[in-house]
């Protein structure tokens, strides 16, 4: 099967357009909510550990349920799972609106508010545990196999555009509209995302071994990931670089206490990685990085670590923004490669389980990384925390370079044919 040269190939499928539009709206909404709730929480507590605990409370249910989410994604109708998860997420957003609303917030102590927010974030993690595998495993059914790489680029690009507009607008919305009106806007975006998902037709469930029990089926997905070196190493590389090198969770500390740029500056900093990523991904639609995939991943992660160190030592707001821009640019290259691998290598009847394993390693590293950053910032400060993360990212890239030289000969483009 010959891979098309058309850079817009995936966007010519109507259901893929509904898919990426829903993804775009959902990403904007979830990131606006994340930014404003984190900033609000830091304002009322002045404790960086509170920011890390948000990540932990979302990570715990996600880690616990993602494998089961993958199991159900392979055995149940994916669109229905996604719609149910949207319903839970909308309910959680309504609860956040209630507990922070001016008419009710004074009825709670700071401790009660903080605990209620953590509890709501916990249920957001529960929804993500089922939503993530179903969403990721639905995408390959919307385009032809020869367009998987193109769909990975466009899917990541729409996500990154949302990741620019969401955080960039969050700080300004928080300042101009207030927390209450911003959360109302978030709920409206979620509702529109639900509508676009509803336009996607239900997909048939693949033929699978009905006799397999849950745990045997889950083990099969784990064995597939760990038994495939390019897939397993790509996941490990992304996981550890994000776990140690991510700085997003503690950006409110830099915005408020170090660079002193307030909520608006926080929005710009949160948007910078996404802007770097989306501009880079515009290039990957024309020049896919899947040729010499492993080499390109190692280069990208090394660049990510170096940019993180620049951010750590910067005392200028705009240099900090530029460094964050570069972290997003480098990270986007590894994301496109990993997403293409995840679409190409797993068989159709295992996509949910394989994506859930990947989600535990990679997506969850964002939340655990947030917790790690919050704890370290509490005890050693924000700048030493970021320096540690950048150095660890470089050490990980160097270690995997030494241990995986045979992967430089892997030809991902052959698997696309």
């Amino acid at each position: 099967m010959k891979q098309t040269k058309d850079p817009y190939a995936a966007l010519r499928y109507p259901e893929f357009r509904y898919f990426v539009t829903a993804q775009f709206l959902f990403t904007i909404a979830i990131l606006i909510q994340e930014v404003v709730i984190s900033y609000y929480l830091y304002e009322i507590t002045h404790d960086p550990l509170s920011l890390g605990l948000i990540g932990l409370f979302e990570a715990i249910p996600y880690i616990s349920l993602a494998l089961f989410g993958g199991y159900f994604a392979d055995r149940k109708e994916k669109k229905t799972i996604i719609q149910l998860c949207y319903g839970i997420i909308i309910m959680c957003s309504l609860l956040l609106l209630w507990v922070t609303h001016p008419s009710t917030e004074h009825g709670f102590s700071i401790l009660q508010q903080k605990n209620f927010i953590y509890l709501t974030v916990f249920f957001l993690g529960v929804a993500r545990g089922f939503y993530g595998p179903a969403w990721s495993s639905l995408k390959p059914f919307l385009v032809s196999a020869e367009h998987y790489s193109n769909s990975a680029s466009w899917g990541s690009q729409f996500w990154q555009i949302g990741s620019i507009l969401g955080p960039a607008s969050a700080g300004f919305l928080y300042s101009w509209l207030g927390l209450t009106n911003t959360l109302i806007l978030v709920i409206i975006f979620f509702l529109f995302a639900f509508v676009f998902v509803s336009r996607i037709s239900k997909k048939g469930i693949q033929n699978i071994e009905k006799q397999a029990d849950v745990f045997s089926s889950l083990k099969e997905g784990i064995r597939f990931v760990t038994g495939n070196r390019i897939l397993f190493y790509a996941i490990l590389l992304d996981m550890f670089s994000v776990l140690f090198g991510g700085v997003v969770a503690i950006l409110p500390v830099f915005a408020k206490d170090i660079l002193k740029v307030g909520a608006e500056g926080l929005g710009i900093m949160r948007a910078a990685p996404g802007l770097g990523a989306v501009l880079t991904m515009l290039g990957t639609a024309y020049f896919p990085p899947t040729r010499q995939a492993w080499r390109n991943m190692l280069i990208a992660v090394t660049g990510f670590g170096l940019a993180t160190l620049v951010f750590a030592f910067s005392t200028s707001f705009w240099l900090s923004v530029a460094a964050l821009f570069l972290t997003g640019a480098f990270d986007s290259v590894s994301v496109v490669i990993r997403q293409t691998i995840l679409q190409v290598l797993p068989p159709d009847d295992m996509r949910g389980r394989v994506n859930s394993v990947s989600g535990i390693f990679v997506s969850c590293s964002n939340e655990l990384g947030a917790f790690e950053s919050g704890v370290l910032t509490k005890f050693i400060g924000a700048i030493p925390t970021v320096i540690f993360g950048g150095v660890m990212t470089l050490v990980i890239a160097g270690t995997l370079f030494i241990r995986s030289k045979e992967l430089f000969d892997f030809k991902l483009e052959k698997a696309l044919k």
Side-chain angles (χ1 to χ4, degrees), residues 11-27:
L11 295 178
R12 302 191 191 282
Y13 295 84
E15 290 194 327
F16 184 74
R17 294 199 297 269
Y18 299 144
F19 178 89
V20 293
T21 303
Q23 182 180 31
F24 170 73
L25 293 169
F26 179 84
T27 302

Side-chain angles (χ1 to χ4, degrees), residues 29-210:
I30 203 73
L31 288 177
I32 290 175
Q33 182 169 274
E34 179 183 320
V35 171
V36 297
I37 289 297
S38 294
Y39 195 77
Y40 174 79
L41 193 59
Y42 188 66
E43 274 196 324
I44 64 174
T45 65
H46 303 286
D47 183 2
L49 183 59
S50 66
L51 302 175
L53 287 173
I54 289 180
L56 183 64
F57 274 93
E58 189 167 5
I60 289 172
Y62 186 87
I63 292 174
S64 304
L65 297 172
L67 280 176
F68 293 96
Y71 174 85
F72 282 106
D74 284 336
R75 282 160 172 74
K76 304 295 181 182
E77 207 287 308
K78 298 171 180 59
K79 172 185 168 181
T80 303
I81 295 174
I82 292 167
Q83 289 177 312
L84 288 172
C85 292
Y86 274 180
I88 294 172
I89 291 168
I90 291 169
M91 287 298 300
C92 289
S93 298
L94 288 169
L95 289 173
L96 288 172
L97 175 62
W98 174 70
V99 77
T100 60
H101 195 275
S103 65
T104 55
E105 67 171 339
H106 297 300
F108 299 97
S109 67
I110 291 177
L111 179 62
Q112 288 173 328
Q113 267 193 305
K114 184 171 68 172
N115 290 339
F116 193 94
I117 289 171
Y118 291 150
L119 180 63
T120 306
V121 168
F122 178 89
F123 283 105
L124 285 171
V126 170
R128 278 194 58 210
F130 290 92
Y131 167 80
W135 186 262
S136 298
S137 59
L138 175 62
K139 182 164 56 177
F141 294 95
L142 305 179
V143 300
S144 299
E146 67 267 28
H147 300 141
Y148 282 168
S149 178
N150 188 258
S151 69
S153 291
W154 282 112
S156 298
Q157 193 165 306
F158 271 79
W159 179 84
Q160 290 291 358
I161 293 172
S163 75
I164 296 170
L165 296 179
S169 61
F172 293 101
L173 290 171
Y174 188 90
S175 296
W176 298 343
L177 301 181
L179 181 62
T180 297
N181 290 330
T182 301
L183 290 178
I184 291 172
L185 184 62
V186 163
I187 293 167
I188 292 171
F189 280 137
F190 281 140
L191 290 171
F192 274 106
F194 185 95
V195 170
F196 277 102
V197 168
S198 300
R199 300 292 302 275
I200 299 173
S201 63
K202 293 185 177 182
K203 306 301 175 186
I205 301 170
Q206 300 300 303
N207 293 325
I208 51 178
E209 61 285 4
K210 301 294 184 182

Side-chain angles (χ1 to χ4, degrees), residues 211-222:
Q211 306 90 333
D213 61 81
V214 175
F215 291 101
S216 296
S217 181
L218 296 181
K219 287 178 183 177
E220 185 182 7
I222 295 171

Side-chain angles (χ1 to χ4, degrees), residues 118-340:
Y118 291 150
L119 180 63
T120 306
V121 168
F122 178 89
F123 283 105
L124 285 171
V126 170
R128 278 194 58 210
F130 290 92
Y131 167 80
W135 186 262
S136 298
S137 59
L138 175 62
K139 182 164 56 177
F141 294 95
L142 305 179
V143 300
S144 299
E146 67 267 28
H147 300 141
Y148 282 168
S149 178
N150 188 258
S151 69
S153 291
W154 282 112
S156 298
Q157 193 165 306
F158 271 79
W159 179 84
Q160 290 291 358
I161 293 172
S163 75
I164 296 170
L165 296 179
S169 61
F172 293 101
L173 290 171
Y174 188 90
S175 296
W176 298 343
L177 301 181
L179 181 62
T180 297
N181 290 330
T182 301
L183 290 178
I184 291 172
L185 184 62
V186 163
I187 293 167
I188 292 171
F189 280 137
F190 281 140
L191 290 171
F192 274 106
F194 185 95
V195 170
F196 277 102
V197 168
S198 300
R199 300 292 302 275
I200 299 173
S201 63
K202 293 185 177 182
K203 306 301 175 186
I205 301 170
Q206 300 300 303
N207 293 325
I208 51 178
E209 61 285 4
K210 301 294 184 182
Q211 306 90 333
D213 61 81
V214 175
F215 291 101
S216 296
S217 181
L218 296 181
K219 287 178 183 177
E220 185 182 7
I222 295 171
R223 282 196 301 269
F224 183 90
V225 172
T226 56
N228 191 301
R229 280 177 68 81
I230 183 68
L231 176 58
F232 186 51
Y233 273 33
I235 289 173
L236 285 180
L237 188 59
D238 258 13
M239 179 188 76
F240 284 115
S241 62
V242 173
L243 180 64
F244 293 111
V247 299
V248 167
I250 57 173
L251 284 181
V253 180
F254 280 86
K256 192 171 180 64
D257 298 332
I258 297 175
L259 298 173
K260 301 185 185 302
V261 291
E264 292 92 342
L266 173 62
I268 293 171
M269 287 196 293
R270 280 297 306 267
L275 179 60
V278 76
L279 292 178
T280 302
M281 285 179 178
L282 283 171
T284 66
Y286 292 89
F287 306 102
T290 49
R291 186 177 179 84
Q292 295 184 297
W294 185 240
R295 182 205 66 178
N296 291 339
M297 281 202 76
L298 287 171
I299 292 172
V301 172
T302 300
F304 179 87
L306 291 173
T308 300
L309 289 176
V310 171
F311 177 80
F313 289 106
S314 170
T315 57
S316 162
F317 172 67
W318 290 111
L319 178 60
S320 298
V321 170
L324 290 170
F325 175 94
L326 290 175
T327 63
F330 286 118
D331 184 54
S332 67
V333 175
S334 63
V335 167
V336 169
I337 295 171
R338 179 172 49 81
Q339 287 296 324
T340 303

